[in-house]
Amino acid sequence: MCIFCMIANHEIPSSVVYEDDTVIAILDLSQVTKGHTLVMPKEHYETLIDVPSQLAMHMMEVVQIVAKRLTTNLHAKGFNVLNNGGELAGQTVMHAHIHIIPRYEENDGFDVQFHTTEKPKDLAAVLSEING
Ligand code: 5GP
Ligand code: ZN
């Protein structure tokens, strides 16, 4: 069975930061930075786009609640919100979840870089491809 389903059902222990009927937020075991938290639906959906929209919106409310708490109580100077959607994008646990990574300083263990090696030049063409 999915490890996050087991956590959401309290079948295996976790450090619960927030919980209600439909969403749970737990400390990530890896603690990329202090307070690194995962927000997930209790019900199993593989990626964020599989989550029903009302529930996805509620996940974002919980992200905001938890990010405020982490920022205030852990004195983080900022935070990153990250979702890895699909294996290619780095998703390792196939139960949708959003990472909240509190940030303390530039070299605190987390880094995001945008590489634009093959940048499409014709944005109008990209737009029409997206919108059909
Ligand atoms: P992903 O790579 O799928 O976006 O993130 C999965 C995250 O789940 C990883 O950061 C990993 O540390 C965390 N993780 C994996 N197994 C467990 C577990 O059993 N408990 C907790 N709290 N975190 C886990
Ligand atoms: Zn699951």
Side-chain angles (χ1 to χ4, degrees), residues 62-80:
V62 175
V63 166
Q64 193 181 48
I65 290 166
V66 173
K68 277 183 190 163
R69 200 178 292 171
L70 297 174
T71 306
T72 305
N73 295 348
L74 296 180
H75 310 290
K77 295 190 186 126
F79 56 91
N80 290 94

Side-chain angles (χ1 to χ4, degrees), residues 11-85:
E11 287 165 18
I12 58 171
S14 67
S15 304
V16 179
V17 178
Y18 173 95
E19 180 174 16
D20 62 29
D21 288 346
T22 56
V23 172
I24 187 166
I26 60 162
L27 290 182
D28 190 305
L29 275 186
S30 71
Q31 291 294 285
V32 166
T33 64
K34 182 173 142 190
H36 176 190
T37 297
L38 304 172
V39 175
M40 64 187 79
K42 287 189 168 177
E43 202 168 319
H44 184 91
Y45 298 99
E46 194 164 304
T47 75
L48 197 55
I49 57 174
D50 301 312
V51 179
S53 61
Q54 288 293 329
L55 183 53
M57 285 191 276
H58 182 46
M59 283 172 73
M60 196 48 76
E61 285 180 327
V62 175
V63 166
Q64 193 181 48
I65 290 166
V66 173
K68 277 183 190 163
R69 200 178 292 171
L70 297 174
T71 306
T72 305
N73 295 348
L74 296 180
H75 310 290
K77 295 190 186 126
F79 56 91
N80 290 94
V81 172
L82 173 74
N83 168 252
N84 298 324

Side-chain angles (χ1 to χ4, degrees), residues 2 4-5 44 95:
C2 164
F4 284 178
C5 282
H44 184 91
H95 178 131

Side-chain angles (χ1 to χ4, degrees), residues 7 32 36 39 60-61 64 66 73-74 84 87 91-92 95 97-98 100 102 104 110 117 125-128:
I7 286 174
V32 166
H36 176 190
V39 175
M60 196 48 76
E61 285 180 327
Q64 193 181 48
V66 173
N73 295 348
L74 296 180
N84 298 324
E87 276 181 44
Q91 186 173 1
T92 58
H95 178 131
H97 55 278
I98 297 173
I100 308 172
Y104 302 95
F110 184 72
T117 45
V126 176
L127 198 57
S128 79

